[in-house]
Amino acid sequence: QVQLVESGGGTVQAGGSLRLSCAASGNTGSVNAMGWHRQAPGKQRELVAAITIGGSTYYADFVKGRFTIVRNYDKNTMYLQMNSLKPEDTAVYYCAADLFGGTPDYDYWGQGTQVTVSS
């Protein structure tokens, strides 16, 4: 079992910044990749960024150059630095963990943290 707890959401004006954190606990040695997803009202959940245990990163086109994903292995924590935020970034952001030998989809999810960007 892996537990994930997000923090750092809030309300910010367009052009501002926020940093999300995801603290992992439990069987963290079984975690391979981790990712940030988001879901806006009435829309499907989408992958924002991901990072493998080796440090390789992936960014969705709509956040490239604005968001940075970082993983601190000593602290079992993942971060998402979000700069130049836009109103369309408003969503609930979820942290997720993919286990070695797990399912094709992410195996564990956090409860989500709300990010609201006002225009």
PDB file of all heavy atoms in Angstrom, residues 42-67:
ATOM      1  N   GLY A  42     -16.560  19.107 -15.527  1.00  0.00           N
ATOM      2  CA  GLY A  42     -17.125  18.742 -16.814  1.00  0.00           C
ATOM      3  C   GLY A  42     -16.139  18.203 -17.820  1.00  0.00           C
ATOM      4  O   GLY A  42     -16.511  17.947 -18.966  1.00  0.00           O
ATOM      5  N   LYS A  43     -14.901  18.032 -17.405  1.00  0.00           N
ATOM      6  CA  LYS A  43     -13.875  17.529 -18.320  1.00  0.00           C
ATOM      7  C   LYS A  43     -13.285  16.231 -17.801  1.00  0.00           C
ATOM      8  O   LYS A  43     -13.389  15.913 -16.614  1.00  0.00           O
ATOM      9  CB  LYS A  43     -12.767  18.568 -18.503  1.00  0.00           C
ATOM     10  CG  LYS A  43     -13.234  19.843 -19.189  1.00  0.00           C
ATOM     11  CD  LYS A  43     -12.064  20.741 -19.499  1.00  0.00           C
ATOM     12  CE  LYS A  43     -12.517  21.985 -20.258  1.00  0.00           C
ATOM     13  NZ  LYS A  43     -11.358  22.871 -20.599  1.00  0.00           N
ATOM     14  N   GLN A  44     -12.638  15.504 -18.707  1.00  0.00           N
ATOM     15  CA  GLN A  44     -11.971  14.267 -18.301  1.00  0.00           C
ATOM     16  C   GLN A  44     -10.657  14.570 -17.601  1.00  0.00           C
ATOM     17  O   GLN A  44     -10.037  15.609 -17.818  1.00  0.00           O
ATOM     18  CB  GLN A  44     -11.720  13.393 -19.533  1.00  0.00           C
ATOM     19  CG  GLN A  44     -12.968  12.752 -20.111  1.00  0.00           C
ATOM     20  CD  GLN A  44     -12.638  11.710 -21.176  1.00  0.00           C
ATOM     21  OE1 GLN A  44     -11.611  11.789 -21.836  1.00  0.00           O
ATOM     22  NE2 GLN A  44     -13.506  10.724 -21.315  1.00  0.00           N
ATOM     23  N   ARG A  45     -10.261  13.658 -16.767  1.00  0.00           N
ATOM     24  CA  ARG A  45      -8.970  13.777 -16.111  1.00  0.00           C
ATOM     25  C   ARG A  45      -7.865  13.682 -17.159  1.00  0.00           C
ATOM     26  O   ARG A  45      -7.965  12.887 -18.104  1.00  0.00           O
ATOM     27  CB  ARG A  45      -8.801  12.657 -15.089  1.00  0.00           C
ATOM     28  CG  ARG A  45      -7.548  12.746 -14.240  1.00  0.00           C
ATOM     29  CD  ARG A  45      -7.528  11.605 -13.258  1.00  0.00           C
ATOM     30  NE  ARG A  45      -7.381  10.317 -13.952  1.00  0.00           N
ATOM     31  CZ  ARG A  45      -7.731   9.151 -13.413  1.00  0.00           C
ATOM     32  NH1 ARG A  45      -8.275   9.118 -12.213  1.00  0.00           N
ATOM     33  NH2 ARG A  45      -7.565   8.033 -14.102  1.00  0.00           N
ATOM     34  N   GLU A  46      -6.820  14.480 -16.994  1.00  0.00           N
ATOM     35  CA  GLU A  46      -5.720  14.470 -17.949  1.00  0.00           C
ATOM     36  C   GLU A  46      -4.388  14.485 -17.214  1.00  0.00           C
ATOM     37  O   GLU A  46      -4.263  15.054 -16.129  1.00  0.00           O
ATOM     38  CB  GLU A  46      -5.803  15.685 -18.889  1.00  0.00           C
ATOM     39  CG  GLU A  46      -5.835  17.027 -18.210  1.00  0.00           C
ATOM     40  CD  GLU A  46      -6.111  18.171 -19.172  1.00  0.00           C
ATOM     41  OE1 GLU A  46      -6.265  17.930 -20.381  1.00  0.00           O
ATOM     42  OE2 GLU A  46      -6.176  19.328 -18.707  1.00  0.00           O
ATOM     43  N   LEU A  47      -3.412  13.851 -17.842  1.00  0.00           N
ATOM     44  CA  LEU A  47      -2.065  13.811 -17.290  1.00  0.00           C
ATOM     45  C   LEU A  47      -1.386  15.152 -17.556  1.00  0.00           C
ATOM     46  O   LEU A  47      -1.368  15.635 -18.681  1.00  0.00           O
ATOM     47  CB  LEU A  47      -1.267  12.679 -17.928  1.00  0.00           C
ATOM     48  CG  LEU A  47       0.200  12.557 -17.499  1.00  0.00           C
ATOM     49  CD1 LEU A  47       0.317  12.250 -16.012  1.00  0.00           C
ATOM     50  CD2 LEU A  47       0.892  11.474 -18.325  1.00  0.00           C
ATOM     51  N   VAL A  48      -0.801  15.716 -16.522  1.00  0.00           N
ATOM     52  CA  VAL A  48      -0.109  17.000 -16.627  1.00  0.00           C
ATOM     53  C   VAL A  48       1.389  16.792 -16.782  1.00  0.00           C
ATOM     54  O   VAL A  48       2.020  17.338 -17.681  1.00  0.00           O
ATOM     55  CB  VAL A  48      -0.389  17.861 -15.386  1.00  0.00           C
ATOM     56  CG1 VAL A  48       0.413  19.154 -15.437  1.00  0.00           C
ATOM     57  CG2 VAL A  48      -1.878  18.150 -15.259  1.00  0.00           C
ATOM     58  N   ALA A  49       1.958  15.997 -15.885  1.00  0.00           N
ATOM     59  CA  ALA A  49       3.398  15.748 -15.910  1.00  0.00           C
ATOM     60  C   ALA A  49       3.694  14.466 -15.159  1.00  0.00           C
ATOM     61  O   ALA A  49       2.921  14.063 -14.289  1.00  0.00           O
ATOM     62  CB  ALA A  49       4.166  16.911 -15.274  1.00  0.00           C
ATOM     63  N   ALA A  50       4.811  13.835 -15.503  1.00  0.00           N
ATOM     64  CA  ALA A  50       5.199  12.602 -14.827  1.00  0.00           C
ATOM     65  C   ALA A  50       6.713  12.525 -14.737  1.00  0.00           C
ATOM     66  O   ALA A  50       7.436  13.176 -15.509  1.00  0.00           O
ATOM     67  CB  ALA A  50       4.652  11.392 -15.572  1.00  0.00           C
ATOM     68  N   ILE A  51       7.166  11.726 -13.780  1.00  0.00           N
ATOM     69  CA  ILE A  51       8.607  11.552 -13.595  1.00  0.00           C
ATOM     70  C   ILE A  51       8.864  10.112 -13.190  1.00  0.00           C
ATOM     71  O   ILE A  51       8.181   9.566 -12.322  1.00  0.00           O
ATOM     72  CB  ILE A  51       9.154  12.550 -12.554  1.00  0.00           C
ATOM     73  CG1 ILE A  51      10.676  12.438 -12.437  1.00  0.00           C
ATOM     74  CG2 ILE A  51       8.472  12.403 -11.204  1.00  0.00           C
ATOM     75  CD1 ILE A  51      11.301  13.611 -11.669  1.00  0.00           C
ATOM     76  N   THR A  52       9.846   9.491 -13.838  1.00  0.00           N
ATOM     77  CA  THR A  52      10.172   8.107 -13.518  1.00  0.00           C
ATOM     78  C   THR A  52      11.163   8.053 -12.364  1.00  0.00           C
ATOM     79  O   THR A  52      11.725   9.069 -11.950  1.00  0.00           O
ATOM     80  CB  THR A  52      10.791   7.403 -14.731  1.00  0.00           C
ATOM     81  OG1 THR A  52      12.097   7.962 -14.971  1.00  0.00           O
ATOM     82  CG2 THR A  52       9.929   7.567 -15.972  1.00  0.00           C
ATOM     83  N   ILE A  53      11.412   6.849 -11.882  1.00  0.00           N
ATOM     84  CA  ILE A  53      12.361   6.682 -10.788  1.00  0.00           C
ATOM     85  C   ILE A  53      13.762   7.075 -11.233  1.00  0.00           C
ATOM     86  O   ILE A  53      14.595   7.488 -10.412  1.00  0.00           O
ATOM     87  CB  ILE A  53      12.321   5.236 -10.257  1.00  0.00           C
ATOM     88  CG1 ILE A  53      13.067   5.145  -8.918  1.00  0.00           C
ATOM     89  CG2 ILE A  53      12.907   4.265 -11.287  1.00  0.00           C
ATOM     90  CD1 ILE A  53      12.860   3.846  -8.196  1.00  0.00           C
ATOM     91  N   GLY A  54      14.015   6.996 -12.545  1.00  0.00           N
ATOM     92  CA  GLY A  54      15.308   7.395 -13.072  1.00  0.00           C
ATOM     93  C   GLY A  54      15.429   8.878 -13.331  1.00  0.00           C
ATOM     94  O   GLY A  54      16.497   9.366 -13.721  1.00  0.00           O
ATOM     95  N   GLY A  55      14.337   9.612 -13.143  1.00  0.00           N
ATOM     96  CA  GLY A  55      14.367  11.063 -13.317  1.00  0.00           C
ATOM     97  C   GLY A  55      13.904  11.554 -14.674  1.00  0.00           C
ATOM     98  O   GLY A  55      13.890  12.767 -14.928  1.00  0.00           O
ATOM     99  N   SER A  56      13.516  10.652 -15.561  1.00  0.00           N
ATOM    100  CA  SER A  56      12.994  11.096 -16.857  1.00  0.00           C
ATOM    101  C   SER A  56      11.640  11.757 -16.637  1.00  0.00           C
ATOM    102  O   SER A  56      10.841  11.292 -15.830  1.00  0.00           O
ATOM    103  CB  SER A  56      12.856   9.911 -17.814  1.00  0.00           C
ATOM    104  OG  SER A  56      14.124   9.337 -18.068  1.00  0.00           O
ATOM    105  N   THR A  57      11.409  12.827 -17.375  1.00  0.00           N
ATOM    106  CA  THR A  57      10.167  13.581 -17.184  1.00  0.00           C
ATOM    107  C   THR A  57       9.343  13.637 -18.458  1.00  0.00           C
ATOM    108  O   THR A  57       9.852  13.506 -19.581  1.00  0.00           O
ATOM    109  CB  THR A  57      10.458  15.014 -16.723  1.00  0.00           C
ATOM    110  OG1 THR A  57      11.317  15.647 -17.684  1.00  0.00           O
ATOM    111  CG2 THR A  57      11.123  15.026 -15.369  1.00  0.00           C
ATOM    112  N   TYR A  58       8.056  13.829 -18.247  1.00  0.00           N
ATOM    113  CA  TYR A  58       7.105  14.022 -19.343  1.00  0.00           C
ATOM    114  C   TYR A  58       6.228  15.214 -18.970  1.00  0.00           C
ATOM    115  O   TYR A  58       5.829  15.360 -17.813  1.00  0.00           O
ATOM    116  CB  TYR A  58       6.226  12.786 -19.523  1.00  0.00           C
ATOM    117  CG  TYR A  58       4.965  13.089 -20.305  1.00  0.00           C
ATOM    118  CD1 TYR A  58       4.967  13.094 -21.691  1.00  0.00           C
ATOM    119  CD2 TYR A  58       3.790  13.422 -19.643  1.00  0.00           C
ATOM    120  CE1 TYR A  58       3.822  13.412 -22.408  1.00  0.00           C
ATOM    121  CE2 TYR A  58       2.637  13.746 -20.352  1.00  0.00           C
ATOM    122  CZ  TYR A  58       2.670  13.729 -21.722  1.00  0.00           C
ATOM    123  OH  TYR A  58       1.537  14.050 -22.424  1.00  0.00           O
ATOM    124  N   TYR A  59       5.949  16.057 -19.949  1.00  0.00           N
ATOM    125  CA  TYR A  59       5.036  17.179 -19.746  1.00  0.00           C
ATOM    126  C   TYR A  59       4.006  17.203 -20.864  1.00  0.00           C
ATOM    127  O   TYR A  59       4.339  17.022 -22.043  1.00  0.00           O
ATOM    128  CB  TYR A  59       5.788  18.507 -19.756  1.00  0.00           C
ATOM    129  CG  TYR A  59       6.747  18.684 -18.611  1.00  0.00           C
ATOM    130  CD1 TYR A  59       8.099  18.387 -18.746  1.00  0.00           C
ATOM    131  CD2 TYR A  59       6.289  19.143 -17.372  1.00  0.00           C
ATOM    132  CE1 TYR A  59       8.980  18.544 -17.689  1.00  0.00           C
ATOM    133  CE2 TYR A  59       7.166  19.304 -16.310  1.00  0.00           C
ATOM    134  CZ  TYR A  59       8.506  18.994 -16.484  1.00  0.00           C
ATOM    135  OH  TYR A  59       9.371  19.146 -15.425  1.00  0.00           O
ATOM    136  N   ALA A  60       2.768  17.442 -20.499  1.00  0.00           N
ATOM    137  CA  ALA A  60       1.751  17.676 -21.508  1.00  0.00           C
ATOM    138  C   ALA A  60       2.075  18.978 -22.235  1.00  0.00           C
ATOM    139  O   ALA A  60       2.656  19.902 -21.648  1.00  0.00           O
ATOM    140  CB  ALA A  60       0.378  17.758 -20.858  1.00  0.00           C
ATOM    141  N   ASP A  61       1.697  19.051 -23.497  1.00  0.00           N
ATOM    142  CA  ASP A  61       2.023  20.229 -24.293  1.00  0.00           C
ATOM    143  C   ASP A  61       1.501  21.508 -23.663  1.00  0.00           C
ATOM    144  O   ASP A  61       2.139  22.560 -23.747  1.00  0.00           O
ATOM    145  CB  ASP A  61       1.456  20.078 -25.709  1.00  0.00           C
ATOM    146  CG  ASP A  61       2.243  19.081 -26.551  1.00  0.00           C
ATOM    147  OD1 ASP A  61       3.387  18.764 -26.172  1.00  0.00           O
ATOM    148  OD2 ASP A  61       1.708  18.621 -27.577  1.00  0.00           O
ATOM    149  N   PHE A  62       0.347  21.428 -23.008  1.00  0.00           N
ATOM    150  CA  PHE A  62      -0.275  22.644 -22.504  1.00  0.00           C
ATOM    151  C   PHE A  62       0.426  23.203 -21.259  1.00  0.00           C
ATOM    152  O   PHE A  62       0.059  24.273 -20.779  1.00  0.00           O
ATOM    153  CB  PHE A  62      -1.774  22.430 -22.218  1.00  0.00           C
ATOM    154  CG  PHE A  62      -2.098  21.233 -21.387  1.00  0.00           C
ATOM    155  CD1 PHE A  62      -1.969  21.256 -20.007  1.00  0.00           C
ATOM    156  CD2 PHE A  62      -2.547  20.062 -21.984  1.00  0.00           C
ATOM    157  CE1 PHE A  62      -2.275  20.148 -19.236  1.00  0.00           C
ATOM    158  CE2 PHE A  62      -2.853  18.947 -21.230  1.00  0.00           C
ATOM    159  CZ  PHE A  62      -2.721  18.982 -19.851  1.00  0.00           C
ATOM    160  N   VAL A  63       1.420  22.493 -20.710  1.00  0.00           N
ATOM    161  CA  VAL A  63       2.156  23.023 -19.563  1.00  0.00           C
ATOM    162  C   VAL A  63       3.658  23.144 -19.821  1.00  0.00           C
ATOM    163  O   VAL A  63       4.394  23.658 -18.970  1.00  0.00           O
ATOM    164  CB  VAL A  63       1.950  22.180 -18.287  1.00  0.00           C
ATOM    165  CG1 VAL A  63       0.481  22.102 -17.930  1.00  0.00           C
ATOM    166  CG2 VAL A  63       2.578  20.798 -18.439  1.00  0.00           C
ATOM    167  N   LYS A  64       4.103  22.705 -20.967  1.00  0.00           N
ATOM    168  CA  LYS A  64       5.534  22.771 -21.266  1.00  0.00           C
ATOM    169  C   LYS A  64       6.041  24.199 -21.170  1.00  0.00           C
ATOM    170  O   LYS A  64       5.424  25.128 -21.695  1.00  0.00           O
ATOM    171  CB  LYS A  64       5.812  22.216 -22.663  1.00  0.00           C
ATOM    172  CG  LYS A  64       5.835  20.709 -22.727  1.00  0.00           C
ATOM    173  CD  LYS A  64       6.166  20.215 -24.126  1.00  0.00           C
ATOM    174  CE  LYS A  64       6.181  18.701 -24.171  1.00  0.00           C
ATOM    175  NZ  LYS A  64       6.424  18.185 -25.537  1.00  0.00           N
ATOM    176  N   GLY A  65       7.150  24.361 -20.482  1.00  0.00           N
ATOM    177  CA  GLY A  65       7.745  25.675 -20.319  1.00  0.00           C
ATOM    178  C   GLY A  65       7.176  26.459 -19.158  1.00  0.00           C
ATOM    179  O   GLY A  65       7.717  27.506 -18.798  1.00  0.00           O
ATOM    180  N   ARG A  66       6.099  25.970 -18.554  1.00  0.00           N
ATOM    181  CA  ARG A  66       5.474  26.683 -17.427  1.00  0.00           C
ATOM    182  C   ARG A  66       5.545  25.871 -16.134  1.00  0.00           C
ATOM    183  O   ARG A  66       5.683  26.437 -15.051  1.00  0.00           O
ATOM    184  CB  ARG A  66       4.016  26.988 -17.741  1.00  0.00           C
ATOM    185  CG  ARG A  66       3.816  27.864 -18.961  1.00  0.00           C
ATOM    186  CD  ARG A  66       2.359  28.319 -19.091  1.00  0.00           C
ATOM    187  NE  ARG A  66       1.430  27.198 -19.257  1.00  0.00           N
ATOM    188  CZ  ARG A  66       0.388  26.979 -18.463  1.00  0.00           C
ATOM    189  NH1 ARG A  66       0.140  27.780 -17.439  1.00  0.00           N
ATOM    190  NH2 ARG A  66      -0.414  25.949 -18.702  1.00  0.00           N
ATOM    191  N   PHE A  67       5.407  24.557 -16.235  1.00  0.00           N
ATOM    192  CA  PHE A  67       5.390  23.692 -15.053  1.00  0.00           C
ATOM    193  C   PHE A  67       6.680  22.873 -15.002  1.00  0.00           C
ATOM    194  O   PHE A  67       7.242  22.504 -16.032  1.00  0.00           O
ATOM    195  CB  PHE A  67       4.212  22.726 -15.111  1.00  0.00           C
ATOM    196  CG  PHE A  67       2.851  23.355 -14.953  1.00  0.00           C
ATOM    197  CD1 PHE A  67       2.677  24.736 -14.981  1.00  0.00           C
ATOM    198  CD2 PHE A  67       1.737  22.551 -14.765  1.00  0.00           C
ATOM    199  CE1 PHE A  67       1.433  25.301 -14.830  1.00  0.00           C
ATOM    200  CE2 PHE A  67       0.473  23.103 -14.613  1.00  0.00           C
ATOM    201  CZ  PHE A  67       0.319  24.476 -14.664  1.00  0.00           C
TER     202      PHE A  67
END
